[in-house]
Amino acid sequence: MPKAPKKRPAAAVPDKADEKMKKPRQLESLATQTGMVSPEKTVELLCQAAGLVRTEKQEQLKWASAFDGSNMPGYTFGLLRVPAKHTFGSEKAAAPAYFTLANFSMLDADGHLYEDRCWKWDVQSCINGKGFCIAHGKACGMPSSHPDLVVCGFPCKSNSIMHKERFQEDALAEHKQSQMSFNSALQLLAKTTPKYFLLENVLGAAKSSAKASAGSAEIKETPKDHGEYDLPEHYERRMGEVLRQYSIACVELTSAPMAENRPRLWWLGSRDEGFRASDWKKAVEDLHAQACGLQRQSMHPYFHASQGGRGKDVEGPPLHETEALYSKYFSEQVNKAIQANRLPKDAKAMDRRERPSARHSHLAAQNPYTQAVADCLHMALPYMYHEQDVNLDENERNCRPVVADLSQNSARARTSASGWWGTLTTSSRLYDFVSGKVLDAAQHLALLGFDISKLNLGTLTDKDSRQFSFTVMLTTRGHAKSTCEATSKVQEICDLAGNGMSLGQTTKVFIPLLKHMGYFKTAPSKSPVFNGSAGFGALSGPIRILFAVLDDKSGASFDKRCTVIWLTGGGILSPACLKGWELRPSADIWAMEFEAEECDAQARTLYKKNFPKVMLARDFGSNDFGSKEILISGKCPEKKENLEWLLEACDKYMAKCSAKIVLVLASPRPPKELEGSRWTSGSHEVSWSAFSSFEASTFVTLYCKGNGRDAATGDKLAKALAAEMESCLRSGSEKCRDKQLQEPMLDLPTPAADAERTPAITRQLQIQAAAAKLKDSMANDNSKFRYIDASRKALKVCLAIPLPTKRSILLSASPGMDAKVGRVSLLDAMGYGSTCVNLALQPNSRK
Ligand SMILES: [Zn+2]
């Protein structure tokens, strides 16, 4: 039996009674990315970490693959916006072949997907046109042109440290599957002579069978002892023999900052003298080091989005027989845990009704054995994690969420308290003790980096054994019928995910190569990597934080669109923020005018330019926005009764449409206490001067419907949100501070000395006086922007824009020799783009 994972030293051994117990694990540093991070964001983050941006290059990159699996390389090219033509691939298993053809552009690009069996012994059959192609339903010849890149992830079954035969048989034996695949891969590379190649395999290849352990969920150190690298040496020797014209280097990667670690070995090969494998490796290692410093993404949102787990639905109370089976298994598991020193001998079992299997429906849907393992681990966790206090309150538990793999028994089951996981295998059945959810099969794919809302999983399933034929799909795509018939096996999706590559790694190995090939270049100035405060990454976005943290029984999925309603008149929560939050692609955005009469013509023009949909507040209740998640943000109604009315309207809407509404409102002063309101609220001050030229601050107040956890988190969330908004704005393109915010000075005629003092003339004189004062103030030090409000009697010169009123006429003087004075464009100052209509201060448009 493999050794149990190595424990890190604990701070202290509790007492004598526990001496025989294994030392408790020290808690890993927690994953901090609270919301689910989209694949686009992960890729963007890695590009930022590499300091690279996409160039204009649109030339097609020709690539090919073998042992394709889930085709993560093709998906990664798409996310990197590199036009890539998948000229051919090969896949043995039906499910991944189906997955590739259904989701990627191979068919459209007229690529070939060979059945893997032709690689097994003789690549020649493909080259001379005898290889059977699933995409065309016939034997297809291999494209004659050399691909730029070939990516192979050769099967890991016999090398995997998870595989039981790994410890009994010589993995080098020629008959082993991986050996055949490896040799096939070499043959393929030798025949196609791509300029570059990538070979991926599990880390197990780097460990001798004697030293390999079962692996823990935590990152393990690479073994450094002599003799442990005999396998890669063998592989490298073979590569050197067959691929003489290539320079080859090996790099070990994880998927950081993603939530699943999945350590893998990558061999990089190049026959380009200008970009040797060692250069490539160096760049990949640098990028990997940067990525390890990024905020770690968490698994918990994936549980949050899980629907049913991997069990069959059961109805009603367990049958008598089921319960008897459960009891038998439970007792066995407790004994196992005691033998493995995961539980003390005198451990007391919880009341049956208090155990997770009795409380969580996801677990109740599992078989009695799995339930028993989960319940037993639940008992053991406090000992394993040195949290003997089983009475931790809800918040503390939330801070230390524990996930366990229920596919193994209670003595061996791997667990993680860090919020991230080691490697998801094809058999993993992860259970989250906090949410009580079992991870969906589709979420296994999401953890690899796929946006599952955009995938076509077709007939792929994780429950039933089904038969399907490629014919159906191919005819719908207008291609020749395929004669291929394949019987899929159970757990296709988990198999697909377990054998797949991770986006975190494909991106890391691709970017340096793509830079060399001219698809990427060094970013002009390295964009700041967001460093969110309060433990939340800015990239997860405030909205995602809100909905991830707030309890949602409907199992909210962030792939669903949400509705954002902007209450007009608010400055800070303006469309600039929406842009910063990158909501536009995933939200329906409305503008809501609270009171029609207060909203004059020019403002309405502005809203219509910026918002696709505009409504009046009084019509709010009669709308149906479709989505179940609604965010209302913008200016807090000034009158208390209006705010009360709004909250009441939200109450009614939530009851009517069973939706969740969160309000994030800005007000110049802390909002008044609402007595008797069942809404939970929290406020936080945001200083505008941090990111704009305004000399003011605003209060961001968050209102959510108080129940359970929400009640305690309103204030915390408001603070986190406000901090996040500040950092978004500060680092985004909306940075306005000390920026030219001017409209040209209008050419004001100087009135004759004896002219009649009409309001218009008075106003002109006032503006001229203010402009003169501003210009004077620049005489001594003209290195700073200065502002003045000409509508005020005091005519105070400020270094930031004074908070405007309806009557304000704001002027600014820019630094420089001529100290030009102009009007301040408030729209610019608020972060509206220059393409917006700018009517705000035109004298003749005012009433
Ligand atoms: Zn073909």
Side-chain angles (χ1 to χ4, degrees), residues 465-482:
S465 179
R466 285 188 198 174
Q467 190 160 357
F468 62 82
S469 159
F470 292 106
T471 316
V472 179
M473 189 187 57
L474 296 183
T475 46
T476 56
R477 289 267 195 135
H479 282 259
K481 279 191 182 181
S482 166

PDB file of all heavy atoms in Angstrom, residues 465-482:
ATOM      1  N   SER A 465     -24.631   4.332 -18.968  1.00  0.00           N
ATOM      2  CA  SER A 465     -23.849   3.804 -20.068  1.00  0.00           C
ATOM      3  C   SER A 465     -24.726   3.939 -21.307  1.00  0.00           C
ATOM      4  O   SER A 465     -25.823   3.441 -21.361  1.00  0.00           O
ATOM      5  CB  SER A 465     -23.531   2.341 -19.795  1.00  0.00           C
ATOM      6  OG  SER A 465     -22.796   1.822 -20.860  1.00  0.00           O
ATOM      7  N   ARG A 466     -24.247   4.662 -22.279  1.00  0.00           N
ATOM      8  CA  ARG A 466     -25.068   4.886 -23.460  1.00  0.00           C
ATOM      9  C   ARG A 466     -24.267   4.600 -24.702  1.00  0.00           C
ATOM     10  O   ARG A 466     -23.053   4.694 -24.713  1.00  0.00           O
ATOM     11  CB  ARG A 466     -25.525   6.345 -23.530  1.00  0.00           C
ATOM     12  CG  ARG A 466     -26.615   6.661 -22.550  1.00  0.00           C
ATOM     13  CD  ARG A 466     -27.119   8.040 -22.829  1.00  0.00           C
ATOM     14  NE  ARG A 466     -27.845   8.518 -21.661  1.00  0.00           N
ATOM     15  CZ  ARG A 466     -28.314   9.749 -21.562  1.00  0.00           C
ATOM     16  NH1 ARG A 466     -28.111  10.601 -22.520  1.00  0.00           N
ATOM     17  NH2 ARG A 466     -28.961  10.105 -20.492  1.00  0.00           N
ATOM     18  N   GLN A 467     -24.997   4.328 -25.727  1.00  0.00           N
ATOM     19  CA  GLN A 467     -24.328   4.127 -26.991  1.00  0.00           C
ATOM     20  C   GLN A 467     -24.640   5.321 -27.870  1.00  0.00           C
ATOM     21  O   GLN A 467     -25.744   5.827 -27.894  1.00  0.00           O
ATOM     22  CB  GLN A 467     -24.838   2.846 -27.648  1.00  0.00           C
ATOM     23  CG  GLN A 467     -24.007   2.461 -28.841  1.00  0.00           C
ATOM     24  CD  GLN A 467     -24.193   1.000 -29.174  1.00  0.00           C
ATOM     25  OE1 GLN A 467     -24.895   0.283 -28.469  1.00  0.00           O
ATOM     26  NE2 GLN A 467     -23.581   0.570 -30.249  1.00  0.00           N
ATOM     27  N   PHE A 468     -23.655   5.794 -28.576  1.00  0.00           N
ATOM     28  CA  PHE A 468     -23.953   6.853 -29.524  1.00  0.00           C
ATOM     29  C   PHE A 468     -23.068   6.682 -30.738  1.00  0.00           C
ATOM     30  O   PHE A 468     -22.053   5.978 -30.710  1.00  0.00           O
ATOM     31  CB  PHE A 468     -23.757   8.240 -28.920  1.00  0.00           C
ATOM     32  CG  PHE A 468     -22.369   8.529 -28.489  1.00  0.00           C
ATOM     33  CD1 PHE A 468     -21.412   8.947 -29.401  1.00  0.00           C
ATOM     34  CD2 PHE A 468     -21.991   8.394 -27.155  1.00  0.00           C
ATOM     35  CE1 PHE A 468     -20.123   9.223 -29.001  1.00  0.00           C
ATOM     36  CE2 PHE A 468     -20.699   8.667 -26.757  1.00  0.00           C
ATOM     37  CZ  PHE A 468     -19.767   9.085 -27.679  1.00  0.00           C
ATOM     38  N   SER A 469     -23.476   7.308 -31.769  1.00  0.00           N
ATOM     39  CA  SER A 469     -22.712   7.196 -32.998  1.00  0.00           C
ATOM     40  C   SER A 469     -22.327   8.588 -33.442  1.00  0.00           C
ATOM     41  O   SER A 469     -23.048   9.548 -33.224  1.00  0.00           O
ATOM     42  CB  SER A 469     -23.578   6.533 -34.059  1.00  0.00           C
ATOM     43  OG  SER A 469     -23.063   6.845 -35.325  1.00  0.00           O
ATOM     44  N   PHE A 470     -21.193   8.697 -34.073  1.00  0.00           N
ATOM     45  CA  PHE A 470     -20.756  10.003 -34.561  1.00  0.00           C
ATOM     46  C   PHE A 470     -21.598  10.463 -35.731  1.00  0.00           C
ATOM     47  O   PHE A 470     -21.631  11.621 -36.060  1.00  0.00           O
ATOM     48  CB  PHE A 470     -19.294   9.945 -34.991  1.00  0.00           C
ATOM     49  CG  PHE A 470     -18.385   9.749 -33.845  1.00  0.00           C
ATOM     50  CD1 PHE A 470     -17.767   8.545 -33.623  1.00  0.00           C
ATOM     51  CD2 PHE A 470     -18.178  10.777 -32.955  1.00  0.00           C
ATOM     52  CE1 PHE A 470     -16.935   8.364 -32.542  1.00  0.00           C
ATOM     53  CE2 PHE A 470     -17.340  10.611 -31.871  1.00  0.00           C
ATOM     54  CZ  PHE A 470     -16.723   9.396 -31.661  1.00  0.00           C
ATOM     55  N   THR A 471     -22.290   9.528 -36.364  1.00  0.00           N
ATOM     56  CA  THR A 471     -23.054   9.843 -37.556  1.00  0.00           C
ATOM     57  C   THR A 471     -24.002  11.008 -37.332  1.00  0.00           C
ATOM     58  O   THR A 471     -24.077  11.926 -38.147  1.00  0.00           O
ATOM     59  CB  THR A 471     -23.881   8.606 -37.987  1.00  0.00           C
ATOM     60  OG1 THR A 471     -23.034   7.481 -37.886  1.00  0.00           O
ATOM     61  CG2 THR A 471     -24.387   8.780 -39.383  1.00  0.00           C
ATOM     62  N   VAL A 472     -24.674  11.002 -36.208  1.00  0.00           N
ATOM     63  CA  VAL A 472     -25.676  12.024 -35.919  1.00  0.00           C
ATOM     64  C   VAL A 472     -25.063  13.415 -36.042  1.00  0.00           C
ATOM     65  O   VAL A 472     -25.545  14.264 -36.781  1.00  0.00           O
ATOM     66  CB  VAL A 472     -26.228  11.845 -34.487  1.00  0.00           C
ATOM     67  CG1 VAL A 472     -27.247  12.908 -34.195  1.00  0.00           C
ATOM     68  CG2 VAL A 472     -26.809  10.448 -34.335  1.00  0.00           C
ATOM     69  N   MET A 473     -23.969  13.575 -35.364  1.00  0.00           N
ATOM     70  CA  MET A 473     -23.389  14.900 -35.330  1.00  0.00           C
ATOM     71  C   MET A 473     -22.802  15.305 -36.675  1.00  0.00           C
ATOM     72  O   MET A 473     -22.937  16.428 -37.109  1.00  0.00           O
ATOM     73  CB  MET A 473     -22.303  14.922 -34.289  1.00  0.00           C
ATOM     74  CG  MET A 473     -21.779  16.285 -34.027  1.00  0.00           C
ATOM     75  SD  MET A 473     -20.403  16.112 -32.966  1.00  0.00           S
ATOM     76  CE  MET A 473     -19.418  15.016 -33.937  1.00  0.00           C
ATOM     77  N   LEU A 474     -22.170  14.373 -37.305  1.00  0.00           N
ATOM     78  CA  LEU A 474     -21.485  14.726 -38.542  1.00  0.00           C
ATOM     79  C   LEU A 474     -22.465  15.118 -39.636  1.00  0.00           C
ATOM     80  O   LEU A 474     -22.198  16.025 -40.404  1.00  0.00           O
ATOM     81  CB  LEU A 474     -20.609  13.556 -39.005  1.00  0.00           C
ATOM     82  CG  LEU A 474     -19.482  13.227 -38.036  1.00  0.00           C
ATOM     83  CD1 LEU A 474     -18.632  12.124 -38.588  1.00  0.00           C
ATOM     84  CD2 LEU A 474     -18.632  14.458 -37.764  1.00  0.00           C
ATOM     85  N   THR A 475     -23.608  14.462 -39.702  1.00  0.00           N
ATOM     86  CA  THR A 475     -24.555  14.846 -40.744  1.00  0.00           C
ATOM     87  C   THR A 475     -25.127  16.225 -40.453  1.00  0.00           C
ATOM     88  O   THR A 475     -25.357  16.997 -41.368  1.00  0.00           O
ATOM     89  CB  THR A 475     -25.698  13.829 -40.889  1.00  0.00           C
ATOM     90  OG1 THR A 475     -26.162  13.523 -39.593  1.00  0.00           O
ATOM     91  CG2 THR A 475     -25.226  12.571 -41.582  1.00  0.00           C
ATOM     92  N   THR A 476     -25.306  16.544 -39.183  1.00  0.00           N
ATOM     93  CA  THR A 476     -25.844  17.873 -38.887  1.00  0.00           C
ATOM     94  C   THR A 476     -24.835  18.946 -39.277  1.00  0.00           C
ATOM     95  O   THR A 476     -25.199  20.064 -39.579  1.00  0.00           O
ATOM     96  CB  THR A 476     -26.192  18.058 -37.397  1.00  0.00           C
ATOM     97  OG1 THR A 476     -25.008  17.785 -36.651  1.00  0.00           O
ATOM     98  CG2 THR A 476     -27.301  17.139 -36.970  1.00  0.00           C
ATOM     99  N   ARG A 477     -23.584  18.589 -39.292  1.00  0.00           N
ATOM    100  CA  ARG A 477     -22.569  19.555 -39.693  1.00  0.00           C
ATOM    101  C   ARG A 477     -22.352  19.543 -41.203  1.00  0.00           C
ATOM    102  O   ARG A 477     -21.492  20.228 -41.720  1.00  0.00           O
ATOM    103  CB  ARG A 477     -21.243  19.237 -38.998  1.00  0.00           C
ATOM    104  CG  ARG A 477     -21.262  19.530 -37.525  1.00  0.00           C
ATOM    105  CD  ARG A 477     -20.740  20.924 -37.269  1.00  0.00           C
ATOM    106  NE  ARG A 477     -20.429  21.087 -35.862  1.00  0.00           N
ATOM    107  CZ  ARG A 477     -19.333  21.652 -35.430  1.00  0.00           C
ATOM    108  NH1 ARG A 477     -18.439  22.086 -36.285  1.00  0.00           N
ATOM    109  NH2 ARG A 477     -19.127  21.799 -34.154  1.00  0.00           N
ATOM    110  N   GLY A 478     -23.101  18.714 -41.896  1.00  0.00           N
ATOM    111  CA  GLY A 478     -23.008  18.709 -43.340  1.00  0.00           C
ATOM    112  C   GLY A 478     -21.815  17.950 -43.881  1.00  0.00           C
ATOM    113  O   GLY A 478     -21.403  18.145 -45.007  1.00  0.00           O
ATOM    114  N   HIS A 479     -21.286  17.048 -43.071  1.00  0.00           N
ATOM    115  CA  HIS A 479     -20.154  16.276 -43.557  1.00  0.00           C
ATOM    116  C   HIS A 479     -20.595  14.863 -43.911  1.00  0.00           C
ATOM    117  O   HIS A 479     -21.690  14.431 -43.573  1.00  0.00           O
ATOM    118  CB  HIS A 479     -19.052  16.222 -42.497  1.00  0.00           C
ATOM    119  CG  HIS A 479     -18.255  17.468 -42.443  1.00  0.00           C
ATOM    120  ND1 HIS A 479     -17.015  17.584 -43.014  1.00  0.00           N
ATOM    121  CD2 HIS A 479     -18.538  18.667 -41.897  1.00  0.00           C
ATOM    122  CE1 HIS A 479     -16.568  18.795 -42.812  1.00  0.00           C
ATOM    123  NE2 HIS A 479     -17.461  19.477 -42.132  1.00  0.00           N
ATOM    124  N   ALA A 480     -19.709  14.165 -44.541  1.00  0.00           N
ATOM    125  CA  ALA A 480     -20.008  12.798 -44.935  1.00  0.00           C
ATOM    126  C   ALA A 480     -20.319  11.953 -43.714  1.00  0.00           C
ATOM    127  O   ALA A 480     -19.836  12.208 -42.618  1.00  0.00           O
ATOM    128  CB  ALA A 480     -18.808  12.221 -45.675  1.00  0.00           C
ATOM    129  N   LYS A 481     -21.151  10.976 -43.931  1.00  0.00           N
ATOM    130  CA  LYS A 481     -21.518  10.110 -42.818  1.00  0.00           C
ATOM    131  C   LYS A 481     -20.333   9.291 -42.352  1.00  0.00           C
ATOM    132  O   LYS A 481     -19.482   8.880 -43.133  1.00  0.00           O
ATOM    133  CB  LYS A 481     -22.629   9.160 -43.257  1.00  0.00           C
ATOM    134  CG  LYS A 481     -23.989   9.816 -43.209  1.00  0.00           C
ATOM    135  CD  LYS A 481     -25.077   8.769 -43.397  1.00  0.00           C
ATOM    136  CE  LYS A 481     -26.436   9.435 -43.395  1.00  0.00           C
ATOM    137  NZ  LYS A 481     -27.499   8.465 -43.559  1.00  0.00           N
ATOM    138  N   SER A 482     -20.311   9.092 -41.081  1.00  0.00           N
ATOM    139  CA  SER A 482     -19.241   8.295 -40.523  1.00  0.00           C
ATOM    140  C   SER A 482     -19.761   6.896 -40.247  1.00  0.00           C
ATOM    141  O   SER A 482     -20.911   6.709 -39.879  1.00  0.00           O
ATOM    142  CB  SER A 482     -18.762   8.928 -39.220  1.00  0.00           C
ATOM    143  OG  SER A 482     -17.960   8.005 -38.539  1.00  0.00           O
TER     144      SER A 482
END
